[in-house]
């Protein structure tokens, strides 16, 4: 085999997957048809649950350092209304403003530092699989060649060749509209008003935000005191190629159609065009070919694709590594489809709702937007929708039926007081390994977990208002099992063993678990 896993596509999803696989000791080979990183950003930032995961990997500081704005105001579009968390403590939805090329550079640098092989200018032209392996035929400047691996992951976008070869249907719809986006310098003759509006000779003052006309939607905001972010949305049935460049003249023509007048524009710093689709692959795996990111789903709203795709990669990587290393329990890899397909379906739900809010032009649609915005003035629905957009409301079902409130959720970042000092759940998750965390000094539970010490890191520590006596955390940050506070060993032991086996295979010595020295006891703190 030339690699353990072939990854097709070096966007954020493929690069995140390469880094996660290397962290798990797997040899990925990432193939990307583009010679260089794209300079034109397809996204201006990243937000949602993936930011917490990046913090759990110790990567958030680097992301903030590379950002144009590491802590933008927590105000997000939702259709043509807004989720405004500026007066909400600990908002469920956050973002980092960073152009996609910078994000990709950081992810590629991490993957390369860990030892991933990344080949740019190498286009996968044909894929085939049999019972034991997948073969990719590749074309590059030096000529064609083949590579073979046990698995291949298609991270190659909406027109995924890997998905096509695997015969996986990609049902859904394409919205009959075209969105054009630009970053342009303020032109002479146009003036920024004190309140952020735009004063243009020959036009009425244009309000910052969105202006809806019978011909479409015009939107603008300020990136700096001199640089505008301008967008237009028009109903149009034209289909554009992904790589077809947009010109300044095309943008000016679109603005003229929407506003009914010319808008003088200065030097363009970015010009891009995109169309919304609502699609989801029927399955994320066919034999030894798997899908992640845009190859698996397309959403009819901005701000969610990076979050969803990178979370796909994190969920898949440790399960695929278990398969490659030969210890995966039965059905583990299949949980990638069941978990992330459900998450994708939920993301489609709220992005389709956004499309409905965005696309209506009649008085009834405007009334719906006004009612929806009024509801979002209350904190409870605002938090609920925010968590849905962030993807933080996802709860994966437990294979053993564990009904603890924490099971299947993303592990909270508890502050932990241990015999070696103070740490946190986020710090313990940096190595991307499973963690068994004893929060109540329960040697009976640690003795069981120690049988899996070759795959699971066992820690003991006290925390304020502990939510459980112990938790078992998967490498992707989701809780696989939790012990109710004060529950007896007799009721917990079988369930803990079952969960450890279901997620991490048999113990190191079947029937004779290995033991490590018991950590120094620490004071326990009251349960919540």
């Amino acid at each position: 085999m030339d690699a353990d896993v072939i990854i097709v596509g070096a966007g954020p999803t493929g690069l995140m997957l390469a880094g996660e696989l290397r962290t798990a000791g797997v040899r990925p080979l990432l193939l990307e048809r583009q010679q260089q990183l794209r300079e034109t950003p397809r996204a201006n930032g990243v937000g949602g649950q993936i930011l917490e995961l990046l913090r759990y990997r110790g990567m958030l500081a680097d992301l903030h350092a590379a950002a144009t704005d590491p802590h933008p105001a927590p105000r997000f579009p939702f259709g043509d209304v807004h989720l405004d968390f500026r007066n909400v403590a600990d908002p469920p939805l956050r973002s980092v403003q960073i152009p996609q090329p910078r994000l990709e550079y950081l992810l590629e640098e991490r993957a390369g530092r860990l030892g991933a092989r990344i080949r740019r200018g190498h286009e996968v032209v044909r894929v085939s699989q049999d019972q034991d392996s997948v073969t990719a035929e590749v074309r590059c400047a030096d000529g064609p060649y083949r590579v073979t691996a046990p698995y291949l992951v298609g991270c190659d976008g909406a027109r995924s060749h890997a998905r096509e070869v695997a015969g996986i249907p990609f049902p859904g719809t394409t919205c009959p509209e075209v969105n054009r986006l630009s970053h342009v310098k303020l032109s002479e003759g146009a003036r920024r008003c004190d309140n952020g509006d735009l004063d243009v000779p020959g036009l009425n003052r244009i309000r910052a935000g969105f202006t809806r006309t019978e011909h479409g939607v015009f939107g603008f905001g300020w990136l700096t005191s001199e640089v505008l972010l301008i967008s237009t949305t028009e109903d149009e049935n034209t289909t554009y190629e992904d790589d077809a460049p947009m010109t300044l003249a095309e943008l000016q023509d679109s603005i003229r159609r929407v506003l009914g007048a010319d808008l003088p524009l200065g030097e363009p710093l970015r010009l891009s065009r995109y169309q919304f689709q609502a699609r989801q692959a029927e399955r994320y795996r066919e034999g030894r070919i798997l899908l992640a990111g845009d190859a698996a789903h397309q959403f009819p709203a901005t701000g969610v694709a990076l979050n969803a795709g990178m979370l796909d990669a994190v969920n898949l990587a440790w399960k695929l590594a278990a398969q490659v290393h030969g210890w995966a329990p039965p059905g583990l890899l299949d949980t990638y489809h069941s978990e992330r397909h459900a998450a994708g379906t939920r993301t489609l739900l709220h992005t389709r709702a956004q499309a409905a809010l965005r696309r209506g032009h009649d008085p009834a649609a405007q009334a719906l937007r006004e009612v929806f915005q009024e509801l979002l003035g209350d904190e409870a629905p605002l938090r609920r929708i925010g968590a849905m957009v962030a993807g933080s409301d996802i709860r994966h079902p437990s294979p053993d039926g564990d009904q603890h409130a924490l099971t299947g959720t993303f592990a909270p970042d508890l502050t932990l007081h241990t015999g070696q000092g103070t740490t946190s759940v986020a710090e313990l998750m940096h190595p991307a390994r499973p963690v068994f965390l004893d929060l109540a000094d329960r040697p009976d539970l640690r003795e069981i977990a120690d049988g899996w010490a070759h795959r699971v890191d066992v820690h003991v520590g006290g925390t304020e208002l502990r939510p459980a006596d112990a938790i078992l955390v998967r490498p992707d940050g989701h809780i696989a099992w939790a012990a109710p506070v004060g529950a007896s060993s007799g009721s917990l032991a079988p369930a803990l063993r079952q969960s450890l086996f279901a997620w991490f295979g048999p113990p190191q010595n079947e029937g004779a678990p290995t033991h490590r020295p018991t950590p120094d006891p620490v004071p326990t703190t009251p349960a919540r």
Side-chain angles (χ1 to χ4, degrees), residues 35-56:
Q35 290 279 357
Q36 304 291 335
L37 280 169
R38 292 183 179 88
E39 294 184 2
T40 300
R42 293 190 172 186
N44 292 312
V46 60
Q49 186 62 33
I50 191 61
L51 294 182
E52 278 297 281
L53 193 285
L54 293 174
R55 187 162 68 89
Y56 280 31

Side-chain angles (χ1 to χ4, degrees), residues 65-88:
T68 53
D69 187 351
H71 303 289
R75 188 170 186 266
F76 305 90
F78 188 89
D80 262 11
V81 300
H82 281 85
L83 308 177
D84 193 342
F85 297 99
R86 288 175 293 184
N87 297 318
V88 175

Side-chain angles (χ1 to χ4, degrees), residues 197 434 479 522:
D197 291 349
I479 295 175
V522 296

Side-chain angles (χ1 to χ4, degrees), residues 26 72 127-128 182 313 325 499:
V26 169
V127 174
S128 60
S182 66
H325 293 316
S499 185

Side-chain angles (χ1 to χ4, degrees), residues 191-210:
R191 182 179 65 87
R192 177 177 179 169
C193 303
D194 291 340
N195 65 351
D197 291 349
L198 191 61
D199 190 12
V200 181
L203 281 174
N204 293 326
R205 179 178 292 192
I206 305 174
R207 293 184 297 108
F210 295 99

Side-chain angles (χ1 to χ4, degrees), residues 373-398:
Q373 189 68 74
E374 184 175 322
L375 288 173
L376 292 175
D378 295 337
E379 186 168 332
L382 178 63
R383 283 188 174 277
R384 182 163 185 171
I385 297 295
M388 181 186 292
V389 175
S392 59
D393 65 341
I394 297 298
R395 180 179 181 181
H396 299 318
S398 172

Side-chain angles (χ1 to χ4, degrees), residues 419-441:
Q420 292 75 43
T422 301
T423 184
S424 67
V425 170
E427 290 183 8
L428 295 181
M429 294 302 298
H430 285 187
R433 282 175 53 84
V435 169
F436 178 81
L437 184 56
D438 177 3
L439 299 172
D441 196 13

Side-chain angles (χ1 to χ4, degrees), residues 280-305:
Q280 186 175 27
E282 286 190 358
R283 53 192 182 277
Y284 288 7
R285 178 190 181 190
E286 181 62 37
R288 294 180 173 272
I289 297 176
L290 299 104
L291 306 175
D294 289 351
H297 40 64
Q298 292 278 291
F299 305 118
T302 58
V304 295

